[in-house]
Amino acid sequence: MGIGSPLISLLDRLRFDGLVPRRGAVMEIGAQQLTNSFLQATDKLERLGYLFGVLTPPPLPAPRSTHMLASGLEHLAEDAPPARVFWTWLGFDYASIDIDGSPGSIPLDLNYDAAPAGHRARYDLVTNFGTTEHVANQLNAFAVIHDLTRHGGVIIHELPVHGSFNHGLINYNFKFFWLLARSNHYRFIDSVLSMDGDYYNLPTNIADFLSEFGSDPGTLRSADAGLRLVMRKEYDIPFIPPIDVETGVKTEHQMLKDRYWTVFDPERQPLP
């Protein structure tokens, strides 16, 4: 997934509000590239640089010929500029996790691997721009993100919630992140739901599969939607998975009280 111009405005706000520092450290979960909309936003980039104390223009190429996909996303050329050029220009210490061989990335398998010891609690900003939906082991993926983020650091998620049938393994919903935040004492900073107004027939492979079992998918139509959620890691506590119970529910099982203490034993205060 590529980074578009909305990130510039978001970083502007985060910096203005003092939520990300100058000369901080950023970790991308999945090494990203820059879209044309990002490269075209020269005035916004200039202001952003000023907020971060950078007076030189970003060393980015001019926008190139591209086209939009049916989903509304911009098709990225293989040689689209890597996001690390932007982050390092802005003064961030840059790192990424990827298994696709991106230059300088840490080859971490989010299904199994833990956050590397030298990177734990190091990053002021951790971004998940369309990566974790490709991971089967969601528990491990979000634990890695938590462990990479320093106390007081910011996490940005931009992920699919509807449609995108052949894109990844997972589509998310707001409840997942509400409960994730409850378990780990994250504070929400920003949330955006974006919906593509173009409805389309189900992909052929799905329509054919349903037809095998007597369904008539010809009348079914859908659209793509995605969400952006920005959260701050308020406390330095070990990662706790979300659990799908109502707030205030009690349990007599000591194992559950210990494992999900932020939910079942809320009087127990985390250290600041």
Side-chain angles (χ1 to χ4, degrees):
M1 183 176 175
I3 295 178
S5 59
L7 175 67
I8 304 173
S9 299
L10 175 60
L11 288 174
D12 187 308
R13 175 186 164 191
L14 293 175
R15 175 64 199 136
F16 187 80
D17 291 343
L19 294 171
V20 292
R22 291 183 179 180
R23 308 297 184 265
V26 61
M27 169 65 81
E28 289 188 319
I29 308 300
Q32 301 298 308
Q33 294 174 290
L34 302 176
T35 66
N36 272 351
S37 70
F38 190 99
L39 300 175
Q40 290 165 346
T42 52
D43 289 345
K44 290 183 178 180
L45 285 168
E46 182 179 348
R47 170 182 160 79
L48 185 65
Y50 175 78
L51 286 175
F52 280 86
V54 180
L55 303 181
T56 58
L60 300 176
R64 60 202 67 195
S65 178
T66 187
H67 67 275
M68 303 302 290
L69 302 175
S71 64
L73 295 175
E74 181 182 321
H75 174 75
L76 289 177
E78 288 187 7
D79 63 346
R84 69 176 178 276
V85 177
F86 160 72
W87 291 114
T88 55
W89 163 75
L90 207 56
F92 278 84
D93 232 357
Y94 173 84
S96 67
I97 285 173
D98 218 315
I99 57 172
D100 67 353
S102 298
S105 63
I106 303 167
L108 200 74
D109 182 354
L110 290 173
N111 274 323
Y112 290 101
D113 298 336
H119 294 268
R120 297 171 71 91
R122 177 181 172 188
Y123 295 94
D124 304 284
L125 185 62
V126 177
T127 68
N128 175 26
F129 293 137
T131 296
T132 56
E133 74 267 27
H134 301 285
V135 179
N137 190 344
Q138 294 289 295
L139 174 62
N140 191 68
F142 282 87
V144 167
I145 291 171
H146 178 91
D147 291 343
L148 292 168
T149 308
R150 72 165 180 83
H151 178 199
V154 172
I155 303 167
I156 305 175
H157 297 288
E158 287 194 7
L159 300 164
V161 296
H162 190 268
S164 304
F165 291 101
N166 290 316
H167 175 69
L169 301 178
I170 300 291
N171 272 356
Y172 293 92
N173 58 45
F174 282 95
K175 184 179 182 180
F176 174 85
F177 288 99
W178 292 338
L179 299 186
L180 178 72
R182 179 184 68 177
S183 285
N184 294 283
H185 287 285
Y186 298 151
R187 175 169 65 89
F188 286 107
I189 296 169
D190 186 55
S191 177
V192 176
L193 176 66
S194 58
M195 304 191 71
D196 189 341
D198 294 330
Y199 283 79
Y200 54 82
N201 295 325
L202 293 182
T204 301
N205 60 342
I206 295 176
D208 290 346
F209 179 78
L210 291 172
S211 296
E212 290 181 24
F213 300 95
S215 295
D216 179 14
T219 60
L220 300 177
R221 294 171 63 78
S222 186
D224 295 336
L227 62 80
R228 181 179 78 195
L229 286 167
V230 184
M231 301 181 286
R232 186 174 186 264
K233 184 179 178 181
E234 296 285 283
Y235 296 101
D236 185 17
I237 60 176
F239 178 75
I240 300 173
I243 183 170
D244 193 6
V245 299
E246 295 291 334
T247 298
V249 167
K250 302 297 182 182
T251 180
E252 298 304 316
H253 296 282
Q254 191 60 45
M255 176 270 291
L256 293 177
K257 284 184 179 181
D258 292 340
R259 185 172 287 169
Y260 303 99
W261 64 268
T262 51
V263 176
F264 292 123
D265 191 9
E267 290 77 21
R268 178 177 161 187
Q269 294 297 315
L271 296 175

